[in-house]
Amino acid sequence: MTFLDSFATARLRAERLTTHHFDDIRSMDSDATYMALLGGPRSAAETRLYMTRNLHHWDDHGFGLWMLRDTDGRMAGRCVLRHLDVEGTDEVELGYGLHTQYWGRGLATEIATELLRLGRVVLHRPSIVAITRHDNIGSQRVLVKTGLVYERDVDHEDVPHLLYRSV
Ligand SMILES: CC(C)(COP(=O)(O)OP(=O)(O)OC[C@H]1O[C@@H](n2cnc3c(N)ncnc32)[C@H](O)[C@@H]1OP(=O)(O)O)[C@@H](O)C(=O)NCCC(=O)NCCS
């Protein structure tokens, strides 16, 4: 256990990803609406790879992907602080995703704000980045509300993305 294993905001509780979260991740990965702007639904094999990659990130770096619960303990989504290679430069990115029934309540902005704080205060990163697709207007709005600024266009896994950075 590290002190980053869990944290909370006013309306969300974040818990470190473990192998026990497979079904929770799977329910988001297989949801066509949730995955619409993330490359489409993943197969079960792709979810397993995604989990393995994110579990290794925790082992290697002591931070990574958290599952999010609402104040009643129901699974609400996930969020992440993760190393990201941006065109040869090591960055730390923040990311978030909520089950569709939680959209439109300011929750992504709430968790992104806390991730940004953790990135600065706990990980001591001079800046935190985020990438999102051109058509993910909701996510771009979250980043702006969180205080990140568009920096440039980048390719990520051969898909054009917008790169935002904290200032
Ligand atoms: C993107 C996502 C995280 C937003 O979560 P959320 O909790 O609804 O976000 P918030 O309520 O904090 O803020 C959303 C903002 O985007 C705006 N917005 C959402 N969809 C929009 C759209 N299609 N066009 C314009 N604005 C949009 C909202 O109005 C709100 O802005 P406002 O507060 O100024 O009105 C959520 O839709 C999601 O989980 N999507 C699937 C996963 C994903 O795409 N993650 C991001 C990967 S980069």
Side-chain angles (χ1 to χ4, degrees):
M1 294 280 281
T2 74
F3 70 105
L4 263 182
D5 281 358
S6 64
F7 63 90
T9 64
R11 293 178 292 171
L12 293 168
R13 180 170 169 74
E15 61 193 41
R16 174 180 177 157
L17 177 73
T18 74
T19 52
H20 300 293
H21 291 123
F22 178 80
D23 289 344
D24 300 314
I25 292 279
R26 189 73 203 122
S27 76
M28 281 184 273
D29 279 6
S30 57
D31 180 335
T33 306
Y34 176 88
M35 293 299 292
L37 302 176
L38 300 174
R42 292 191 179 111
S43 67
E46 288 170 329
T47 297
R48 269 191 291 278
L49 266 178
Y50 174 88
M51 282 204 65
T52 301
R53 211 169 53 240
N54 281 285
L55 289 165
H56 282 154
H57 192 286
W58 266 106
D59 292 341
D60 293 344
H61 303 289
F63 63 96
L65 191 142
W66 295 267
M67 303 306 291
L68 297 171
R69 293 186 188 274
D70 67 15
T71 48
D72 293 323
R74 283 187 293 260
M75 202 51 81
R78 62 194 186 208
C79 69
V80 70
L81 281 171
R82 186 168 48 205
H83 282 275
L84 177 72
D85 184 295
V86 181
E87 297 171 338
T89 301
D90 174 50
E91 305 275 7
V92 170
E93 67 163 337
L94 66 77
Y96 38 74
L98 293 153
H99 278 297
T100 53
Q101 64 267 35
Y102 291 89
W103 290 5
R105 303 186 201 174
L107 289 170
T109 307
E110 181 173 309
I111 202 70
T113 301
E114 180 61 8
L115 291 171
L116 181 55
R117 192 190 73 78
L118 291 172
R120 282 175 169 153
V121 173
V122 179
L123 302 183
H124 305 294
R125 299 295 295 202
S127 70
I128 299 293
V129 302
I131 55 169
T132 188
R133 281 172 32 155
H134 287 252
D135 50 2
N136 201 337
I137 308 296
S139 184
Q140 291 165 38
R141 179 80 192 120
V142 169
L143 294 173
V144 169
K145 288 197 293 177
T146 305
L148 282 77
V149 173
Y150 168 77
E151 183 174 286
R152 66 184 196 272
D153 283 20
V154 294
D155 278 346
H156 175 66
E157 295 173 351
D158 296 326
V159 178
H161 280 74
L162 305 172
L163 176 74
Y164 282 74
R165 185 181 297 279
S166 63
V167 287

